[in-house]
Amino acid sequence: MNNLKLGVEVVSAHDLMPKDGQGSSNPFVELHFDRQKFRTSIKDKDLNPVWNELFYFNIADPSSLPDLTLEASVHSMNRATNSRSFLGKVQIAETSFVPFSEAVVMHYPLGKHRMFSRVKGELALKVFLTDDPSIKPSNPLPAIDPRPNNLPPSQVPQEPEQISEGNKSLLKKEPKHTFHSIPNEVQLQQSSAPPIEPVRYVADPMKHESQPSKVVRMFPSLSSRQPMDDYALKETSPLLGGGQIVRGRVIPAQKPASTYDLVEQMQYLFVRVVKARDLPTMDVTGSLDPYVEVRVGNYKGKTKHFEKNQNPEWNEVFAISRDRVQSSVIEVVVKDKDLIKDDSVGIVCFDLNDVPTRVPPDSPLAPEWYRLEDKEGDKRKGELMVAVWIGTQADEAFADAWHLDAAAPIDAAAVSSHTKSKVYHAPKLWYLRVNVIDAQDIFIADKTRFPDVYAKVQLGNQILKTRPVQSRTFNPLWNEDLMFVAAEPFEDQLIISIEDRVGPNKDEVVGRLALPLGSIEKRLDDHLINARWYSLQKPVAVDVDQLKEDKFSSKIQLRVCLEGGYHVLDESTHYSSDLRPTAKQLWKPSIGLLELGILNAEGLHPMKTRGENGTCDTYCVAKYGRKWVRTRTIVDSLSPKYNEQYTWEVYDPATVLTVGVFDNWQLEKGDNGNKDAKIGKVRIRLSTLETGRVYTHSYPLLVLHPSGVKKMGELHLAIRFSSTSFVNMMHIYSRPLLPKMHYIQPLNMIQQDMLRHRAVQIVAARLSRMEPSLRKEVVEYMSDVDSHMWSMRRSKANFFRLMSVFSGAIAASRWFANVCVWKNPITTVLVHILFIMLVCFPELILPTVFLYMFLIGLWNYRFRPRYPPHMNIKLSHAEAVHPDELDEEFDTFPTSRSDDMVRMRYDRLRSVAGRIQTVVGDLATQGERLQALLSWRDPRATAIFLVFCMVSAIVLYTTPLQFLIALVGFYIMRHPRFRNRMPSAPLNFFRRLPAKTDSLL
C-alpha cells in the first residue's frame, strides 16, 4: 500500500498588498496539488499573517511525482460582497520536494496572476515528503466541477462538512503561474595587475624570453599540413560504439549501437562461478575447504574459500580481455584449501570456440550445472554451477568482475579492492554560521578581578575564537560571526566554550556547551534566526559546598544556523564544476547532459621499475559536481585502454570537467603507504563546447616538476554536451553565477580561502574512507588546492595575460598615433574624411561602432576554435621558467630552504613588490589630482579650472557642438609641422596639481 504523502506547512506571509480599500486585507492561502485543494483560515485585517497550519496531500502514483507541481495562491476575502481578490501565487516543482529531515521554512516571493497584475510580498512554506503510515491525508476541498476531468464518482473528492456555504465561493480555479527565483545581479570588479619590472638576482623575472614561434594548424588542409606540436591538442577519429567519429560527426556503424556509444567496444571473456553441491570430502577428518580457481592461459583468479562446506556459494565473476586470451581452453578447477598443498577436487573445461556471445540488452546468460571431472576426464562426485560467455564493457557484470589480467603480476587477494571502477559521491557540505552574541553571569574563582574572557567554538578539527573582552562586568559582549564547514551525515558536535585568560599563555575554561548538528536550524535566505540562551556546564567537578555557596548558572546567547543558500566552495574558484546552493529546494532543473568516454592513454612515462623498461599501473579519475568516477586500474601497461563511459547532469555551462590520470601505488607489496603518483590532468570548460557535437581528441598530460615541465603521455577522450532546452540554456546566461546569498551576505576573501581549504580537507577525508578509497593526494590534485599559492611563474603568466588583454587597445592607440603624425598621408586623409562624416552626422557614431563589431564577429567565425581548451605551457610560462623560480614554487610552506636562499628570494620579492607599489601609487596619484581640481587644495589651480569651466560653458552654449568636435579632432591630428615637442599646457597644469603623497610617512 502506498503511504507517500506531501506535507505542506503554511507558516506566514509578509508585506502583502492591501485590497479592502482601507489599507489592509483579509488573507488566506489556497493549495492545489494532484486534483486536491486545501485552504487555510482567514486572517482579518492583517498584511503580515501567521497561520502555522499543516496539510497533507495524498500521492496516488509516486511515479507521476516529477510531473506534479504544488500551487499556493494567496487571496483576500471581502466579507461584504462574499468575493475574493488575488494577492499572489507561487508554483513549486517536484525538484524542491525533500524528505522531512531536510525540510526548512522557505520564503517564496509572490508571483503575478496576469502580466499587469499588482502583487508584492512573500509566502513562507515548508514542503516535505513523508511515508509515515500514521499520518492521514487531509480532506480536500471540492472543486467547482464535482467531477473534474471526467473522473468516476468513486474518485470525486468529497466535500468536508466544516466548510461553510459562504466559503465555498472561494474555490475558484486560478491559471497556472511558474515561480522563478531570480537573484539580483552583482557586477564584480576585477582589478588589473600592474606591470612588474625585472630584478637583478636572477634572469629578469618579468622579462618574456622570446622563443621561436611555432605555427600549429589544428585542422590544416591536406595540401598544407604542418607538423603537429608535441604539446598541442590532436584530433582523433576512433571507431566508437555508435560508429566512427570524423570532425564531430558520427558515421553510423553497421552493427546497432549500444549505450556505450562514446567508447570503443572491447570484448571480454566472462566466467561466473555461482555455487557447487555434493562435493566430496578430501581430508582425513572428512572435511572440505573449497574454493574455485579459474585459469585462462597464464592468467588465473581465485574465489574466497569456505571452511568445512560441501555446498558453497560464491557468485563471483571473472573477466579477461579477449585480446589477452592466449589459450583456447578455459579451466575452472575446484580445490581444497590446505596448509601445504591444495588438492584438486575436480575440473570443468570449456572450449573458447564454443563460448556464446552476449550483447546487452539481451538477458544475462543462465548458469548451468556441470559434473566435475578429474585430470583423465573421468566423472567425479560433485557438480559446479558456471556460466561462461563473451561480452563487452556494457555488460552488467563488468563493474563487479574481477579482472584476471589486472591480478597477474601481483597478489590478487591484497589488491582486489584497488582495481575496480567505482563511482563516488562527495558529501553534502553546509556552511555553519555561529553568531556568538554575549554571556551572562560568568563565574570565576578569583573574585578580586574582572574576567578577561573569549569564546572558543570547535567543530571537528576546525577551531575559531572570538576576540577577548575585558569589561567591568560579568556579562561580556562579543557579537561576532564565526563560519565553519559541516558535511552530511553530521558526525561531530558543535562545542562552545568560554575561557578566561588568567595569565600569559594560561587560559581556564569557565563553561562549556555541546550542540548536535542535527538539532541546528537550517535557513535558505537572509531571514534572521532567533537567538537562544544556552546554559553552560562546568567543565570540572567542584566541591559540593562551593556549589551551594556559588551556584553555577552561566549562560551564553547564540544564533546558530546551517546556511543552505550558499554554494560551499570546495575547489578552486577558477575551475568550479558546480555552482548550485546546498539546499535542494533552491536547485533549478538541469539544462543538459554531459557524457564522457575515457578511451585510452598512450606513451605514458614509466612510473615503476617493474619489468625491463619500467611500467605503470594507471587509473583515471573524473570529477564534475559532487560525482567523482574512477576507472579500473590497468596493470603493467604504458598504453592502457579503459573504454569506460560516464554521464553527469549539467546545471550551468560555466563549469569545468576535470579528468586526471594517476599511477596506483597501492598494488605494490609493502608499499601501501605510498602516495599515488600524478601523471597529468585535463580541464574542459563546458561553455566552450558546441551542443550535440562529439569531441574526440588526444590531450597532452603535462606535469610541472622541480626540473621543469614534462610530458607524461597523452589521454584520449570523447566528450558530448547535450542540451535539453535552448531557451533554458540562454536564460542561464542572464542569471548570477553564484546563489543569491553570495551577493546578499557576501563572504570576504579571507573567509572564502579559509573555508575552501576546510571543505577540501573534509571531502578528502570522506572519500578516503570509502572502499576503494580515493586518496587524499588525488582529491587535492583534482581540486587544485594549491592554485592560490604564491609563485613567480604564475605571477609572470598573469602579467603577460594582462598585457595580452590590452594588446588590442595598445595596437589601436599606436595606429592612431601614426595617423596623427601623418606617417601614411593617404590613411590620415581617409581618417579625416571619416571624421568629418561622423562630426556632421553624430547619430551615426554608435550604429557604426556596433556594425563594425558585428562585422568583426562574423569575420572571426571562420577562425573560431574547433577544439576544447587544453594545458598550454606557453601561456603558463612553463617553457622558459628559471630553475630557482621552480625550486621556490615547490618549496614547502613554511620554507625548508637555507637562510641565505630565503633572504635572496625575500629581497627579490621585495624588489618586485616595490615596483608594484610604485605603479599602484602612481594610479592613486592621478585620481587624487582629479579630485584636487575642485577641492581648493591648490586655490590658484582651482580658480583657474573654474574660470576655464565658465568659459567652456559659454562657448558650448554659443557654438555648435559639431564645430567644436571637428576643431578638437583636427587639432589632435594636426601635421607634425605644427607640433611642439614640449608637453601641452593642459598636461602641465594637471601634473602640477597636488596629491596626498605629501601626507604619507
Side-chain angles (χ1 to χ4, degrees), residues 349-369:
C349 297
F350 299 90
D351 190 347
L352 187 62
N353 299 322
D354 298 333
V355 174
T357 301
R358 174 183 178 262
V359 179
D362 291 349
S363 299
L365 189 66
E368 184 178 351
W369 286 105

Side-chain angles (χ1 to χ4, degrees), residues 191-199 205-207 790 792 795-804 806 810 909-923:
S191 59
S192 301
I196 304 175
E197 299 182 7
V199 293
M206 303 307 289
K207 182 178 179 181
W790 156 260
M792 183 68 73
S795 300
K796 289 194 290 184
N798 291 332
F799 170 74
F800 289 114
R801 285 174 55 203
L802 184 65
M803 295 300 296
S804 177
F806 291 104
I810 295 174
L909 183 61
R910 289 176 61 189
S911 177
V912 175
R915 282 150 181 81
I916 296 176
Q917 170 184 293
T918 302
V919 173
V920 174
D922 291 342
L923 294 176

Side-chain angles (χ1 to χ4, degrees), residues 378-431:
D378 298 332
K379 299 296 182 180
R380 301 193 61 178
K381 182 183 177 182
E383 292 179 305
L384 181 66
M385 180 179 284
V386 182
V388 182
W389 73 95
I390 294 176
T392 64
Q393 68 269 39
D395 200 292
E396 294 86 351
F398 180 79
D400 297 327
W402 169 238
H403 294 265
L404 299 180
D405 49 355
I410 51 183
D411 185 7
V415 300
S416 59
S417 62
H418 295 284
T419 58
K420 294 182 180 180
S421 58
K422 292 294 179 181
V423 176
Y424 305 83
H425 283 276
K428 187 177 182 180
L429 300 178
W430 293 78
Y431 281 146

Side-chain angles (χ1 to χ4, degrees), residues 21-56:
Q22 301 177 3
S24 185
S25 293
N26 304 321
F28 67 94
V29 180
E30 191 171 278
L31 304 174
H32 301 256
F33 181 78
D34 197 16
R35 301 172 183 169
Q36 304 169 59
K37 298 181 182 180
F38 301 136
R39 191 185 65 247
T40 65
S41 59
I42 301 174
K43 301 296 182 179
D44 295 330
K45 303 294 182 179
D46 194 354
L47 295 180
N48 298 281
V50 177
W51 289 283
N52 289 324
E53 297 181 18
L54 183 60
F55 304 92
Y56 288 96

Side-chain angles (χ1 to χ4, degrees), residues 258-270:
S258 65
T259 55
Y260 283 67
D261 59 342
L262 290 185
V263 293
E264 297 179 348
Q265 286 191 356
M266 300 177 63
Q267 285 193 335
Y268 285 86
L269 173 64
F270 292 94

